Amino acid sequence: MTADLEALVDRVSTRLVREDAAPSGASVVAALRAEGAVLGDRAVLDLVGAVTRELSGAGPLAPLLAEPGVSDVLVNAPDEVWVDRGAGLVRASARFTDEASVRRLAQRLAASAGRRLDTGQPTVDARLPGGVRLHAVLPPVSPRGTLISLRVAARRVFSLGDLVAAGSVVPELAGALQELVHSRRAFLVTGGTGTGKTTVLTTLLSLVAAQERIVLVEDSGELQPEHPHVVRLEARAANVEGAGRVDLRDLVRQALRMRPDRLVVGEVRGGEVVELLAALNTGHEGGCGTVHANAPEALPARLEALGVAAGLSRDAVHSQLAAAVQAVVHVARGRDGLRRVVTLAALEREDTGWVRVLPALSVVASRLHVGPGLDLLRRQVPSGHPR
């Protein structure tokens, strides 16, 4: 799109917004006439499409969001858009006319999710109707201008075989992951941001026996396992008056009353860790979730920080963790951009009372290495499952 056409799209869009008119062929032609612009039939059709995307879709970002394999689209400035197609972030050719058009898009997307975004509420974190996760920040919180971060939910569920074929799971590790699920051990998937934790957890949940009931608790619905019996609970932010908030901690309590065979917390990052650990200690075997941690060995410290902030003592966190969780599945993104499962580990409580993580199977340079945690992991099978 040329600069002149971008400017025309912006002027027509602004006029339609001001007149509260829906984008259509007739309204765009009327706005063009008011702007004194004369275009041929083909150009008018192109303009209608551009204005419609500007006012009711994701604007210049729509083509990127529609691309297969795109996981993230980030806007840092009108002329600085980044996209991750699975191999790391690269600059995209998409552009906005100016800062005002970026701000309008952020506000429109927020409104489509039923959220407010303005100077009084300059940040928003919400899930859009199509499943894309939106995070946006307005000035002055972001001094350079409006920032938009869009996380695209996976369009397909990858089987364990798919992950092996893609190089994300080495064949020798696939069997151990399958056994982890079938044995009903409780586990947590760890990794940094954008490493594929949700994808891996979705794949593993798809291995759960068909007769089991999976109850998902999430901030926004990202887990989409291929399973016949899945129910989900999603957190809700407070409204403009500050009322109506339902957080993950509340939802974990509710999930326990829904007869879950597998209780799943999409991302453990707050006080819900208390309820999750308590549930896994009271007969709810096979539960799981994801946790941000840069290494599997960092998991105990991460959960300790969350648990202490929620009111548990350090001793209580480690006691609950040691009894509740048997395994850790760690994922990482390599320098080549590929996301891989790199470690399967066991949890052991030391004489000091603190929990440590022992690698059971680790992948180094595409080769599987056996660690001291393998024997421990094999012994830590829930009582109701045959060894």
Side-chain angles (χ1 to χ4, degrees):
M1 188 183 296
T2 66
D4 289 343
L5 184 54
E6 286 181 354
L8 184 57
V9 169
D10 188 57
R11 294 201 307 273
V12 170
S13 299
T14 301
R15 182 176 291 275
L16 293 181
V17 170
R18 189 168 58 245
E19 296 173 354
D20 195 24
S24 66
S27 63
V28 169
V29 169
L32 280 173
R33 189 179 298 116
E35 290 290 331
V38 178
L39 297 177
D41 292 344
R42 178 64 186 177
V44 169
L45 289 175
D46 291 342
L47 187 68
V48 170
V51 171
T52 299
R53 289 192 298 271
E54 173 70 17
L55 295 182
S56 58
L61 306 182
L64 294 175
L65 294 174
E67 282 186 32
V70 167
S71 62
D72 295 270
V73 177
L74 312 174
V75 181
N76 296 347
D79 60 348
E80 187 180 339
V81 178
W82 295 79
V83 61
D84 188 340
R85 296 182 174 90
L89 291 168
V90 295
R91 288 286 288 267
S93 59
R95 297 289 185 273
F96 291 83
T97 306
D98 52 25
E99 158 62 17
S101 62
V102 181
R103 183 185 182 104
R104 282 197 303 273
L105 175 61
Q107 292 177 316
R108 186 176 70 252
L109 293 175
S112 71
R115 302 292 296 277
R116 168 186 166 193
L117 183 64
D118 53 32
T119 53
Q121 182 64 52
T123 65
V124 68
D125 187 3
R127 184 164 67 95
L128 303 179
V132 174
R133 186 166 181 173
L134 163 72
H135 186 271
V137 185
L138 298 182
V141 178
S142 54
R144 288 185 55 201
T146 302
L147 301 176
I148 299 175
S149 303
L150 297 172
R151 168 65 60 85
V152 182
R155 294 179 174 86
R156 57 168 290 196
V157 176
F158 294 93
S159 69
L160 193 55
D162 291 333
L163 296 186
V164 171
S168 295
V169 176
V170 298
E172 298 86 350
L173 185 56
L177 294 176
Q178 190 166 24
E179 170 61 17
L180 174 69
V181 176
H182 290 171
S183 65
R184 295 183 56 79
R185 293 176 176 90
F187 65 92
L188 294 172
V189 179
T190 60
T193 300
T195 53
K197 298 186 296 297
T198 299
T199 297
V200 169
L201 182 55
T202 295
T203 298
L204 296 181
L205 289 175
S206 298
L207 299 174
V208 170
Q211 66 268 26
E212 296 185 40
R213 173 178 167 94
I214 301 174
V215 180
L216 305 177
V217 176
E218 298 181 87
D219 260 330
S220 60
E222 296 181 333
L223 293 168
Q224 302 290 339
E226 286 189 348
H227 191 277
H229 197 164
V230 177
V231 295
R232 64 175 69 250
L233 301 175
E234 291 188 20
R236 185 177 70 181
N239 60 21
V240 177
E241 290 77 27
R245 182 172 183 265
V246 181
D247 61 20
L248 291 183
R249 196 165 186 176
D250 297 325
L251 293 182
V252 172
R253 296 191 194 104
Q254 298 303 318
L256 293 176
R257 295 169 173 82
M258 298 173 65
R259 201 251 182 234
D261 289 306
R262 303 275 184 158
L263 175 62
V264 183
V265 178
E267 182 180 346
V268 181
R269 58 179 180 180
E272 65 276 2
V273 68
V274 176
E275 277 70 26
L276 178 61
L277 291 178
L280 297 181
N281 271 298
T282 53
H284 294 277
E285 297 174 346
C288 51
T290 73
V291 180
H292 278 274
N294 290 330
E297 295 79 13
L299 176 65
R302 174 68 173 148
L303 294 185
E304 179 184 312
L306 296 176
V308 170
L312 290 180
S313 67
R314 186 185 183 194
D315 288 342
V317 173
H318 284 263
S319 294
Q320 294 265 35
L321 177 58
V325 180
Q326 286 81 51
V328 181
V329 178
H330 189 71
V331 296
R333 186 198 287 264
R335 293 183 178 179
D336 57 1
L338 183 62
R339 302 173 178 93
R340 297 178 175 88
V341 176
V342 295
T343 305
L344 174 62
L347 273 66
E348 178 186 54
R349 194 173 190 187
E350 300 180 288
D351 293 339
T352 59
W354 311 135
V355 173
R356 66 171 178 169
V357 176
L358 294 176
L361 298 170
S362 301
V363 180
V364 180
S366 299
R367 297 187 63 182
L368 194 66
H369 296 261
V370 175
L374 184 59
D375 288 339
L376 176 61
L377 190 61
R378 287 171 172 166
R379 294 196 304 269
Q380 293 179 337
V381 179
S383 57
H385 189 275
R387 294 179 183 275

